[in-house]
Amino acid sequence: MANAVSGVAVSEECVKVFQELRAGRAHRFVVYKMDDAVQQVVVEKVGGRDAGFDDLAAALPADDCRYAVYDLDFAVADATAAGAGEAPRSKIFFISWSPATAEVKSKMIYASSNEGFKKELDGVQIDVQATDPSELTLDILKDLAT
């Protein structure tokens, strides 16, 4: 489906792999990029359930934009549990990665396609925009999730 603003399409694989992450919990993260012709968003890398946040961070290039989704598992205090137990939770983050060193054209294409692409990924819960590794840490995601 083409994004009306930027004209960039979203490959069917993007939605399929996201649904595997969301519903099937088959992946920890997915990194998406524009194809070489800048015609559609495609899957670049998929991290298995055993992958960690550091694996996602390593998959994001220092000099180009990307989209990513990350499934964060965490625990919160559960007042309904017998005793002082913790209840497991999960949140799916949509990450817009746009480093300062990326080309201006790339930043513009990713920014103009952002909302349209995000709408294709039904089930994203929290949106994060980062331009530097210091803006995208596991602690920041945990703070946003709770």
Side-chain angles (χ1 to χ4, degrees), residues 81-119:
E86 290 191 333
R89 297 284 187 263
S90 175
K91 293 282 184 187
I92 298 175
F93 290 82
F94 179 84
I95 299 164
S96 302
W97 175 248
S98 183
T101 54
E103 292 181 13
V104 173
K105 181 179 180 181
S106 178
K107 290 180 189 181
M108 291 175 61
I109 292 168
Y110 276 82
S112 66
S113 303
N114 188 12
E115 287 302 316
F117 179 56
K118 194 170 25 175
K119 286 179 183 174

Side-chain angles (χ1 to χ4, degrees), residues 18-93:
F18 174 75
Q19 291 303 328
E20 291 170 357
L21 177 143
R22 185 183 67 83
R25 300 188 53 86
H27 315 298
R28 175 66 60 197
F29 69 85
V30 183
V31 177
Y32 302 95
K33 70 173 194 165
M34 297 290 175
D35 67 1
D36 293 338
V38 193
Q39 296 297 312
Q40 70 175 344
V41 179
V42 296
V43 173
E44 180 178 47
K45 182 173 178 72
V46 177
R49 284 307 292 176
D50 59 340
F53 180 79
D54 291 339
D55 298 312
L56 168 64
L60 297 173
D63 59 354
D64 201 3
C65 302
R66 293 292 186 272
Y67 301 123
V69 290
Y70 184 76
D71 187 5
L72 175 68
D73 292 327
F74 61 100
V76 295
D78 186 356
T80 61
E86 290 191 333
R89 297 284 187 263
S90 175
K91 293 282 184 187
I92 298 175
F93 290 82

Side-chain angles (χ1 to χ4, degrees), residues 8-19:
V8 174
V10 176
S11 75
E12 289 181 21
E13 182 189 16
C14 290
V15 176
K16 177 182 166 282
V17 172
F18 174 75
Q19 291 303 328

